[in-house]
PDB file of all heavy atoms in Angstrom:
ATOM      1  N   VAL Z   3      99.172 105.973  88.225  1.00 92.00           N
ATOM      2  CA  VAL Z   3      99.795 104.675  88.467  1.00 92.00           C
ATOM      3  C   VAL Z   3     100.427 104.095  87.194  1.00 92.00           C
ATOM      4  O   VAL Z   3     101.370 103.313  87.264  1.00 92.00           O
ATOM      5  CB  VAL Z   3      98.786 103.690  89.113  1.00 92.00           C
ATOM      6  CG1 VAL Z   3      97.816 103.139  88.091  1.00 92.00           C
ATOM      7  CG2 VAL Z   3      99.509 102.591  89.848  1.00 92.00           C
ATOM      8  N   GLU Z   4      99.955 104.521  86.039  1.00 92.00           N
ATOM      9  CA  GLU Z   4     100.545 104.059  84.781  1.00 92.00           C
ATOM     10  C   GLU Z   4     101.958 104.596  84.590  1.00 92.00           C
ATOM     11  O   GLU Z   4     102.722 104.037  83.795  1.00 92.00           O
ATOM     12  CB  GLU Z   4      99.660 104.479  83.607  1.00 92.00           C
ATOM     13  CG  GLU Z   4      98.320 103.788  83.591  1.00 92.00           C
ATOM     14  CD  GLU Z   4      97.415 104.301  82.487  1.00 92.00           C
ATOM     15  OE1 GLU Z   4      97.879 105.067  81.620  1.00 92.00           O
ATOM     16  OE2 GLU Z   4      96.227 103.934  82.507  1.00 92.00           O
ATOM     17  N   GLN Z   5     102.316 105.667  85.305  1.00 93.00           N
ATOM     18  CA  GLN Z   5     103.659 106.243  85.201  1.00 93.00           C
ATOM     19  C   GLN Z   5     104.624 105.650  86.225  1.00 93.00           C
ATOM     20  O   GLN Z   5     105.751 106.131  86.369  1.00 93.00           O
ATOM     21  CB  GLN Z   5     103.589 107.765  85.373  1.00 93.00           C
ATOM     22  CG  GLN Z   5     102.693 108.458  84.367  1.00 93.00           C
ATOM     23  CD  GLN Z   5     103.017 108.066  82.931  1.00 93.00           C
ATOM     24  OE1 GLN Z   5     104.164 108.083  82.511  1.00 93.00           O
ATOM     25  NE2 GLN Z   5     101.995 107.696  82.181  1.00 93.00           N
ATOM     26  N   VAL Z   6     104.199 104.634  86.948  1.00 94.00           N
ATOM     27  CA  VAL Z   6     105.022 103.979  87.968  1.00 94.00           C
ATOM     28  C   VAL Z   6     105.518 102.657  87.409  1.00 94.00           C
ATOM     29  O   VAL Z   6     104.780 101.948  86.716  1.00 94.00           O
ATOM     30  CB  VAL Z   6     104.188 103.750  89.252  1.00 94.00           C
ATOM     31  CG1 VAL Z   6     105.005 103.033  90.309  1.00 94.00           C
ATOM     32  CG2 VAL Z   6     103.644 105.069  89.778  1.00 94.00           C
ATOM     33  N   MET Z   7     106.780 102.320  87.728  1.00 94.00           N
ATOM     34  CA  MET Z   7     107.324 101.020  87.300  1.00 94.00           C
ATOM     35  C   MET Z   7     106.384  99.914  87.781  1.00 94.00           C
ATOM     36  O   MET Z   7     105.896  99.969  88.914  1.00 94.00           O
ATOM     37  CB  MET Z   7     108.710 100.790  87.886  1.00 94.00           C
ATOM     38  CG  MET Z   7     109.772 101.651  87.235  1.00 94.00           C
ATOM     39  SD  MET Z   7     110.111 101.095  85.568  1.00 94.00           S
ATOM     40  CE  MET Z   7     111.877 101.065  85.586  1.00 94.00           C
ATOM     41  N   PRO Z   8     106.111  98.927  86.953  1.00 93.00           N
ATOM     42  CA  PRO Z   8     105.144  97.884  87.317  1.00 93.00           C
ATOM     43  C   PRO Z   8     105.407  97.214  88.669  1.00 93.00           C
ATOM     44  O   PRO Z   8     104.470  96.964  89.424  1.00 93.00           O
ATOM     45  CB  PRO Z   8     105.256  96.877  86.164  1.00 93.00           C
ATOM     46  CG  PRO Z   8     105.706  97.701  85.003  1.00 93.00           C
ATOM     47  CD  PRO Z   8     106.612  98.759  85.588  1.00 93.00           C
ATOM     48  N   ASP Z   9     106.656  96.975  89.011  1.00 94.00           N
ATOM     49  CA  ASP Z   9     106.959  96.299  90.277  1.00 94.00           C
ATOM     50  C   ASP Z   9     106.811  97.209  91.497  1.00 94.00           C
ATOM     51  O   ASP Z   9     106.884  96.762  92.636  1.00 94.00           O
ATOM     52  CB  ASP Z   9     108.351  95.672  90.243  1.00 94.00           C
ATOM     53  CG  ASP Z   9     109.465  96.695  90.058  1.00 94.00           C
ATOM     54  OD1 ASP Z   9     109.215  97.748  89.446  1.00 94.00           O
ATOM     55  OD2 ASP Z   9     110.581  96.427  90.527  1.00 94.00           O
ATOM     56  N   LYS Z  10     106.558  98.491  91.291  1.00 94.00           N
ATOM     57  CA  LYS Z  10     106.394  99.466  92.381  1.00 94.00           C
ATOM     58  C   LYS Z  10     104.945  99.963  92.521  1.00 94.00           C
ATOM     59  O   LYS Z  10     104.654 100.763  93.403  1.00 94.00           O
ATOM     60  CB  LYS Z  10     107.307 100.677  92.155  1.00 94.00           C
ATOM     61  CG  LYS Z  10     108.772 100.346  92.104  1.00 94.00           C
ATOM     62  CD  LYS Z  10     109.255  99.933  93.482  1.00 94.00           C
ATOM     63  CE  LYS Z  10     110.749  99.702  93.458  1.00 94.00           C
ATOM     64  NZ  LYS Z  10     111.281  99.455  94.785  1.00 94.00           N
ATOM     65  N   ARG Z  11     104.068  99.498  91.674  1.00 94.00           N
ATOM     66  CA  ARG Z  11     102.696 100.024  91.662  1.00 94.00           C
ATOM     67  C   ARG Z  11     101.920  99.711  92.938  1.00 94.00           C
ATOM     68  O   ARG Z  11     101.184 100.560  93.436  1.00 94.00           O
ATOM     69  CB  ARG Z  11     101.946  99.519  90.432  1.00 94.00           C
ATOM     70  CG  ARG Z  11     102.453 100.176  89.171  1.00 94.00           C
ATOM     71  CD  ARG Z  11     101.754  99.719  87.933  1.00 94.00           C
ATOM     72  NE  ARG Z  11     102.333 100.415  86.787  1.00 94.00           N
ATOM     73  CZ  ARG Z  11     102.079 100.122  85.545  1.00 94.00           C
ATOM     74  NH1 ARG Z  11     101.220  99.146  85.248  1.00 94.00           N
ATOM     75  NH2 ARG Z  11     102.656 100.790  84.561  1.00 94.00           N
ATOM     76  N   ASP Z  12     102.068  98.512  93.475  1.00 94.00           N
ATOM     77  CA  ASP Z  12     101.353  98.174  94.711  1.00 94.00           C
ATOM     78  C   ASP Z  12     101.781  99.080  95.853  1.00 94.00           C
ATOM     79  O   ASP Z  12     100.951  99.574  96.617  1.00 94.00           O
ATOM     80  CB  ASP Z  12     101.578  96.708  95.094  1.00 94.00           C
ATOM     81  CG  ASP Z  12     100.829  95.741  94.185  1.00 94.00           C
ATOM     82  OD1 ASP Z  12      99.880  96.174  93.503  1.00 94.00           O
ATOM     83  OD2 ASP Z  12     101.200  94.549  94.165  1.00 94.00           O
ATOM     84  N   GLU Z  13     103.082  99.317  95.972  1.00 93.00           N
ATOM     85  CA  GLU Z  13     103.607 100.210  97.011  1.00 93.00           C
ATOM     86  C   GLU Z  13     103.092 101.638  96.807  1.00 93.00           C
ATOM     87  O   GLU Z  13     102.718 102.323  97.762  1.00 93.00           O
ATOM     88  CB  GLU Z  13     105.133 100.183  96.988  1.00 93.00           C
ATOM     89  CG  GLU Z  13     105.789 101.051  98.024  1.00 93.00           C
ATOM     90  CD  GLU Z  13     107.306 101.008  97.934  1.00 93.00           C
ATOM     91  OE1 GLU Z  13     107.866 100.133  97.231  1.00 93.00           O
ATOM     92  OE2 GLU Z  13     107.934 101.870  98.557  1.00 93.00           O
ATOM     93  N   PHE Z  14     103.069 102.089  95.566  1.00 93.00           N
ATOM     94  CA  PHE Z  14     102.580 103.423  95.228  1.00 93.00           C
ATOM     95  C   PHE Z  14     101.115 103.587  95.659  1.00 93.00           C
ATOM     96  O   PHE Z  14     100.746 104.571  96.295  1.00 93.00           O
ATOM     97  CB  PHE Z  14     102.728 103.641  93.715  1.00 93.00           C
ATOM     98  CG  PHE Z  14     102.257 104.972  93.213  1.00 93.00           C
ATOM     99  CD1 PHE Z  14     103.076 106.079  93.268  1.00 93.00           C
ATOM    100  CD2 PHE Z  14     100.992 105.108  92.661  1.00 93.00           C
ATOM    101  CE1 PHE Z  14     102.656 107.314  92.793  1.00 93.00           C
ATOM    102  CE2 PHE Z  14     100.558 106.331  92.178  1.00 93.00           C
ATOM    103  CZ  PHE Z  14     101.396 107.432  92.246  1.00 93.00           C
ATOM    104  N   LEU Z  15     100.292 102.605  95.339  1.00 93.00           N
ATOM    105  CA  LEU Z  15      98.874 102.663  95.695  1.00 93.00           C
ATOM    106  C   LEU Z  15      98.660 102.531  97.204  1.00 93.00           C
ATOM    107  O   LEU Z  15      97.799 103.198  97.770  1.00 93.00           O
ATOM    108  CB  LEU Z  15      98.105 101.570  94.956  1.00 93.00           C
ATOM    109  CG  LEU Z  15      97.977 101.777  93.447  1.00 93.00           C
ATOM    110  CD1 LEU Z  15      97.399 100.540  92.771  1.00 93.00           C
ATOM    111  CD2 LEU Z  15      97.155 103.009  93.136  1.00 93.00           C
ATOM    112  N   ARG Z  16      99.461 101.694  97.853  1.00 92.00           N
ATOM    113  CA  ARG Z  16      99.355 101.522  99.305  1.00 92.00           C
ATOM    114  C   ARG Z  16      99.637 102.839 100.033  1.00 92.00           C
ATOM    115  O   ARG Z  16      98.977 103.177 101.003  1.00 92.00           O
ATOM    116  CB  ARG Z  16     100.331 100.426  99.754  1.00 92.00           C
ATOM    117  CG  ARG Z  16      99.951  99.723 100.994  1.00 92.00           C
ATOM    118  CD  ARG Z  16     100.814  98.504 101.347  1.00 92.00           C
ATOM    119  NE  ARG Z  16     102.133  98.416 100.761  1.00 92.00           N
ATOM    120  CZ  ARG Z  16     102.463  97.620  99.730  1.00 92.00           C
ATOM    121  NH1 ARG Z  16     101.554  96.865  99.148  1.00 92.00           N
ATOM    122  NH2 ARG Z  16     103.693  97.592  99.279  1.00 92.00           N
ATOM    123  N   GLY Z  17     100.623 103.599  99.551  1.00 92.00           N
ATOM    124  CA  GLY Z  17     100.962 104.875 100.155  1.00 92.00           C
ATOM    125  C   GLY Z  17      99.901 105.945  99.973  1.00 92.00           C
ATOM    126  O   GLY Z  17      99.877 106.939 100.691  1.00 92.00           O
ATOM    127  N   ARG Z  18      98.995 105.748  99.039  1.00 93.00           N
ATOM    128  CA  ARG Z  18      97.950 106.735  98.755  1.00 93.00           C
ATOM    129  C   ARG Z  18      96.553 106.233  99.099  1.00 93.00           C
ATOM    130  O   ARG Z  18      95.564 106.815  98.703  1.00 93.00           O
ATOM    131  CB  ARG Z  18      98.006 107.105  97.267  1.00 93.00           C
ATOM    132  CG  ARG Z  18      99.203 107.990  96.965  1.00 93.00           C
ATOM    133  CD  ARG Z  18      99.554 107.970  95.489  1.00 93.00           C
ATOM    134  NE  ARG Z  18     100.576 108.942  95.195  1.00 93.00           N
ATOM    135  CZ  ARG Z  18     101.866 108.794  95.480  1.00 93.00           C
ATOM    136  NH1 ARG Z  18     102.281 107.706  96.108  1.00 93.00           N
ATOM    137  NH2 ARG Z  18     102.744 109.727  95.173  1.00 93.00           N
ATOM    138  N   ARG Z  19      96.461 105.173  99.865  1.00 92.00           N
ATOM    139  CA  ARG Z  19      95.160 104.559 100.143  1.00 92.00           C
ATOM    140  C   ARG Z  19      94.196 105.478 100.886  1.00 92.00           C
ATOM    141  O   ARG Z  19      92.993 105.301 100.798  1.00 92.00           O
ATOM    142  CB  ARG Z  19      95.336 103.236 100.883  1.00 92.00           C
ATOM    143  CG  ARG Z  19      95.860 103.361 102.289  1.00 92.00           C
ATOM    144  CD  ARG Z  19      96.074 101.983 102.925  1.00 92.00           C
ATOM    145  NE  ARG Z  19      96.796 102.075 104.170  1.00 92.00           N
ATOM    146  CZ  ARG Z  19      98.114 102.051 104.306  1.00 92.00           C
ATOM    147  NH1 ARG Z  19      98.880 101.939 103.235  1.00 92.00           N
ATOM    148  NH2 ARG Z  19      98.685 102.132 105.485  1.00 92.00           N
ATOM    149  N   TYR Z  20      94.703 106.477 101.624  1.00 91.00           N
ATOM    150  CA  TYR Z  20      93.824 107.388 102.360  1.00 91.00           C
ATOM    151  C   TYR Z  20      93.557 108.695 101.617  1.00 91.00           C
ATOM    152  O   TYR Z  20      92.776 109.514 102.081  1.00 91.00           O
ATOM    153  CB  TYR Z  20      94.420 107.698 103.737  1.00 91.00           C
ATOM    154  CG  TYR Z  20      94.558 106.466 104.607  1.00 91.00           C
ATOM    155  CD1 TYR Z  20      95.793 106.089 105.098  1.00 91.00           C
ATOM    156  CD2 TYR Z  20      93.448 105.692 104.922  1.00 91.00           C
ATOM    157  CE1 TYR Z  20      95.920 104.959 105.891  1.00 91.00           C
ATOM    158  CE2 TYR Z  20      93.577 104.561 105.706  1.00 91.00           C
ATOM    159  CZ  TYR Z  20      94.810 104.196 106.189  1.00 91.00           C
ATOM    160  OH  TYR Z  20      94.941 103.072 106.968  1.00 91.00           O
ATOM    161  N   TRP Z  21      94.217 108.884 100.482  1.00 93.00           N
ATOM    162  CA  TRP Z  21      94.030 110.121  99.736  1.00 93.00           C
ATOM    163  C   TRP Z  21      92.591 110.183  99.222  1.00 93.00           C
ATOM    164  O   TRP Z  21      92.074 109.237  98.652  1.00 93.00           O
ATOM    165  CB  TRP Z  21      94.996 110.194  98.566  1.00 93.00           C
ATOM    166  CG  TRP Z  21      96.435 110.397  98.964  1.00 93.00           C
ATOM    167  CD1 TRP Z  21      97.017 110.039 100.129  1.00 93.00           C
ATOM    168  CD2 TRP Z  21      97.459 110.968  98.174  1.00 93.00           C
ATOM    169  NE1 TRP Z  21      98.347 110.359 100.127  1.00 93.00           N
ATOM    170  CE2 TRP Z  21      98.649 110.943  98.923  1.00 93.00           C
ATOM    171  CE3 TRP Z  21      97.500 111.514  96.900  1.00 93.00           C
ATOM    172  CZ2 TRP Z  21      99.859 111.425  98.451  1.00 93.00           C
ATOM    173  CZ3 TRP Z  21      98.707 111.995  96.417  1.00 93.00           C
ATOM    174  CH2 TRP Z  21      99.875 111.957  97.200  1.00 93.00           C
ATOM    175  N   GLY Z  22      91.964 111.329  99.425  1.00 90.00           N
ATOM    176  CA  GLY Z  22      90.606 111.515  98.943  1.00 90.00           C
ATOM    177  C   GLY Z  22      89.552 111.234  99.991  1.00 90.00           C
ATOM    178  O   GLY Z  22      88.442 111.727  99.893  1.00 90.00           O
ATOM    179  N   ASN Z  23      89.885 110.435 101.031  1.00 90.00           N
ATOM    180  CA  ASN Z  23      88.899 110.232 102.093  1.00 90.00           C
ATOM    181  C   ASN Z  23      89.435 110.759 103.427  1.00 90.00           C
ATOM    182  O   ASN Z  23      88.957 111.756 103.925  1.00 90.00           O
ATOM    183  CB  ASN Z  23      88.435 108.775 102.178  1.00 90.00           C
ATOM    184  CG  ASN Z  23      89.569 107.780 102.203  1.00 90.00           C
ATOM    185  OD1 ASN Z  23      90.603 108.023 102.800  1.00 90.00           O
ATOM    186  ND2 ASN Z  23      89.374 106.646 101.559  1.00 90.00           N
ATOM    187  N   LYS Z  24      90.445 110.153 104.016  1.00 92.00           N
ATOM    188  CA  LYS Z  24      90.994 110.645 105.286  1.00 92.00           C
ATOM    189  C   LYS Z  24      92.011 111.763 105.082  1.00 92.00           C
ATOM    190  O   LYS Z  24      92.237 112.574 105.969  1.00 92.00           O
ATOM    191  CB  LYS Z  24      91.645 109.504 106.064  1.00 92.00           C
ATOM    192  CG  LYS Z  24      90.658 108.487 106.573  1.00 92.00           C
ATOM    193  CD  LYS Z  24      91.346 107.424 107.385  1.00 92.00           C
ATOM    194  CE  LYS Z  24      90.340 106.401 107.869  1.00 92.00           C
ATOM    195  NZ  LYS Z  24      90.971 105.377 108.690  1.00 92.00           N
ATOM    196  N   ILE Z  25      92.663 111.769 103.940  1.00 94.00           N
ATOM    197  CA  ILE Z  25      93.667 112.793 103.624  1.00 94.00           C
ATOM    198  C   ILE Z  25      93.243 113.519 102.354  1.00 94.00           C
ATOM    199  O   ILE Z  25      92.902 112.887 101.348  1.00 94.00           O
ATOM    200  CB  ILE Z  25      95.065 112.164 103.431  1.00 94.00           C
ATOM    201  CG1 ILE Z  25      95.575 111.618 104.757  1.00 94.00           C
ATOM    202  CG2 ILE Z  25      96.039 113.169 102.848  1.00 94.00           C
ATOM    203  CD1 ILE Z  25      96.911 110.899 104.670  1.00 94.00           C
ATOM    204  N   ARG Z  26      93.289 114.843 102.407  1.00 96.00           N
ATOM    205  CA  ARG Z  26      92.967 115.662 101.242  1.00 96.00           C
ATOM    206  C   ARG Z  26      94.205 116.435 100.822  1.00 96.00           C
ATOM    207  O   ARG Z  26      94.921 116.988 101.662  1.00 96.00           O
ATOM    208  CB  ARG Z  26      91.847 116.652 101.554  1.00 96.00           C
ATOM    209  CG  ARG Z  26      90.558 116.004 101.984  1.00 96.00           C
ATOM    210  CD  ARG Z  26      89.768 115.464 100.791  1.00 96.00           C
ATOM    211  NE  ARG Z  26      88.692 114.599 101.186  1.00 96.00           N
ATOM    212  CZ  ARG Z  26      87.476 114.988 101.505  1.00 96.00           C
ATOM    213  NH1 ARG Z  26      87.172 116.264 101.487  1.00 96.00           N
ATOM    214  NH2 ARG Z  26      86.556 114.131 101.837  1.00 96.00           N
ATOM    215  N   ILE Z  27      94.459 116.474  99.539  1.00 96.00           N
ATOM    216  CA  ILE Z  27      95.593 117.204  98.981  1.00 96.00           C
ATOM    217  C   ILE Z  27      95.118 118.619  98.644  1.00 96.00           C
ATOM    218  O   ILE Z  27      94.164 118.802  97.894  1.00 96.00           O
ATOM    219  CB  ILE Z  27      96.141 116.506  97.721  1.00 96.00           C
ATOM    220  CG1 ILE Z  27      96.473 115.039  98.012  1.00 96.00           C
ATOM    221  CG2 ILE Z  27      97.333 117.255  97.164  1.00 96.00           C
ATOM    222  CD1 ILE Z  27      97.487 114.816  99.110  1.00 96.00           C
ATOM    223  N   ALA Z  28      95.806 119.610  99.213  1.00 96.00           N
ATOM    224  CA  ALA Z  28      95.441 121.005  98.971  1.00 96.00           C
ATOM    225  C   ALA Z  28      96.227 121.596  97.808  1.00 96.00           C
ATOM    226  O   ALA Z  28      95.693 122.384  97.031  1.00 96.00           O
ATOM    227  CB  ALA Z  28      95.676 121.840 100.231  1.00 96.00           C
TER     228      ALA Z  28
END
Side-chain angles (χ1 to χ4, degrees):
V3 77
E4 293 175 9
Q5 302 309 311
V6 178
M7 287 289 227
D9 62 332
K10 300 290 184 173
R11 288 180 180 170
D12 287 341
E13 181 181 347
F14 180 84
L15 290 171
R16 206 172 21 257
R18 286 160 173 76
R19 68 183 170 271
Y20 298 122
W21 290 26
N23 49 37
K24 292 183 181 182
I25 292 176
R26 300 281 167 87
I27 306 301

